[in-house]
Amino acid sequence: ATDLCSTMKFSAVAALFAVATSTSTTGASAFSPAAGRFAARPLAAALYSVATEQSGEAATESFRLNFKGEDGAALSPWHDIPLKGDGGYNMVVEIPKMTKAKMEVATKEENNPIAQDIKKGNLRDYHGPIFWNYGCLPQTWEDPNEEHPELKVFGDDDPIDVVEIGSKALEMGTVTEVKPLGVLAMIDDGELDWKVVAVAVDDPLAKEYNDIDDVPEAVKAGIREWFRWYKTPDDKPLNGFGFDEEYLDAAVAEKVIAETHESWKKLKAGDSDAGKLWLA
C-alpha cells in the first residue's frame, strides 16, 4: 500500500507539471536509432570532433554508449570533453526529455561510457518520464571529501548535473552548449547534488531566458517537485533542498560550476581521493 501511495503521489506531481513544463515530444525511449551507429558530433570549442558508438544491446545491462575522437581513439565524456565551448558550457546529454531509462556517465568504468544505472541487480527506470533533458557538465566533480560551509553536507561524487529546459528533446550522447540560468541545491541521502538549470544556446528560449527569474514559476516548481518526489515509489524518503528551497541565480550557478571544475582539477592531479573513479 505504501508503494502504491507513493507511486500515485509521484504520478500526480508528474502529471501536474508535465503540462506546464514540457512541449509535445514524441519518442518514449532514450535508445534512439542513432545511438546504434557511429555518429560524429562536432564540438565548437575543440579542435576535434566527438563521436558515439553503441556496444551491447539497448535496454540491457550490456548497453554502453562509447565516445571517440575524430581519430577514432576512445575518449572520456567526463575527462576529455572541455567544460566550455565557444558559446556556452558543454552539456553531455545522458537522458533525453520524455524518457524513463536512468542513463548516466559511468564514472567508475574505463573511458566513462554512458550506461543504464543498476540498483539491486535491476536496470533502473524512473517511474514516470522526465520532462527535461538531463545530463552533466564534463570536467566537474562534486567532491565527497569536502563539506559545504553552509549546508554542512558533502558532494555526491559525480559530475555536476544539468536540467536543460529547452523546447526540443536532445539525443543521448550529444554534446550541447548551454547557458546556465540558476542552480538548485538538492540534498539526496545526505549528499549535496547540485542541479544546474540551463537552456541550450541555440534554443529559441535562450533569447528569452538569461537568469532564473526569467524562467516561469511553473517550470521551476515542476523541476523542484519532480526531484523531490521521484524516489518515493521505491520507498525512499523525499529529497530536500538547501537555501530554503530557493533557486540561486545564474551568477551563483557559474560560481558553483567553477568550484566543481576546480575540484575536478584536484581529482585529476591526484590531490583528492579518487576511490574507485576512473581517471586515466
Side-chain angles (χ1 to χ4, degrees):
T2 301
D3 289 346
L4 177 60
C5 182
S6 295
T7 301
M8 290 175 66
K9 287 179 179 177
F10 177 80
S11 298
V13 169
L16 176 63
F17 293 108
V19 175
T21 61
S22 66
T23 56
S24 177
T25 306
T26 58
S29 173
F31 306 99
S32 66
R37 60 178 182 265
F38 192 77
R41 313 198 191 287
L43 263 179
L47 298 177
Y48 57 86
S49 61
V50 62
T52 55
E53 186 177 42
Q54 177 182 324
S55 61
E57 185 179 349
T60 71
E61 292 185 20
S62 68
F63 174 86
R64 295 293 185 273
L65 192 63
N66 306 288
F67 289 72
K68 297 178 181 291
E70 62 181 1
D71 59 355
L75 61 79
S76 162
W78 182 18
H79 302 303
D80 296 326
I81 294 173
L83 173 60
K84 290 185 178 182
D86 287 343
Y89 290 86
N90 285 321
M91 171 188 177
V92 177
V93 179
E94 297 166 308
I95 308 174
K97 70 188 296 185
M98 300 308 297
T99 65
K100 294 170 59 178
K102 179 65 173 71
M103 312 303 296
E104 60 184 14
V105 169
T107 58
K108 297 179 176 66
E109 290 188 23
E110 183 177 359
N111 294 315
N112 310 125
I114 291 177
Q116 190 165 357
D117 190 22
I118 297 175
K119 293 293 184 184
K120 298 180 179 179
N122 297 314
L123 292 172
R124 185 177 171 198
D125 286 293
Y126 293 132
H127 291 267
I130 189 167
F131 303 114
W132 315 275
N133 297 297
Y134 192 65
C136 64
L137 295 182
Q139 299 188 352
T140 63
W141 182 53
E142 297 192 54
D143 188 349
N145 309 296
E146 186 173 339
E147 185 180 54
H148 190 277
E150 296 178 63
L151 301 176
K152 304 302 180 183
V153 288
F154 295 83
D156 73 346
D157 202 24
D158 283 324
I160 196 167
D161 295 324
V162 183
V163 182
E164 195 279 327
I165 62 173
S167 56
K168 58 190 175 184
L170 302 174
E171 187 180 327
M172 179 172 58
T174 54
V175 179
T176 302
E177 290 189 9
V178 299
K179 174 170 60 175
L181 304 171
V183 67
L184 188 63
M186 190 173 89
I187 311 297
D188 182 354
D189 276 340
E191 296 178 333
L192 180 56
D193 187 4
W194 290 106
K195 305 297 181 188
V196 175
V197 178
V199 63
V201 297
D202 62 352
D203 193 277
L205 290 173
K207 296 178 181 178
E208 302 176 32
Y209 297 167
N210 294 296
D211 213 323
I212 198 64
D213 288 341
D214 299 325
V215 180
E217 288 299 325
V219 176
K220 291 185 285 188
I223 294 169
R224 184 173 53 234
E225 295 310 311
W226 196 94
F227 281 103
R228 187 195 307 279
W229 285 89
Y230 82 102
K231 286 188 174 181
T232 58
D234 294 321
D235 203 25
K236 298 287 187 179
L238 294 172
N239 286 323
F241 303 91
F243 302 107
D244 297 321
E245 303 197 346
E246 295 294 328
Y247 284 86
L248 308 180
D249 64 19
V252 177
E254 296 217 31
K255 180 181 178 183
V256 171
I257 293 169
E259 289 173 350
T260 59
H261 183 50
E262 289 302 314
S263 294
W264 173 83
K265 287 181 179 178
K266 293 178 182 177
L267 177 69
K268 285 287 287 180
D271 296 330
S272 296
D273 181 11
K276 297 181 179 179
L277 299 175
W278 188 89
L279 302 179

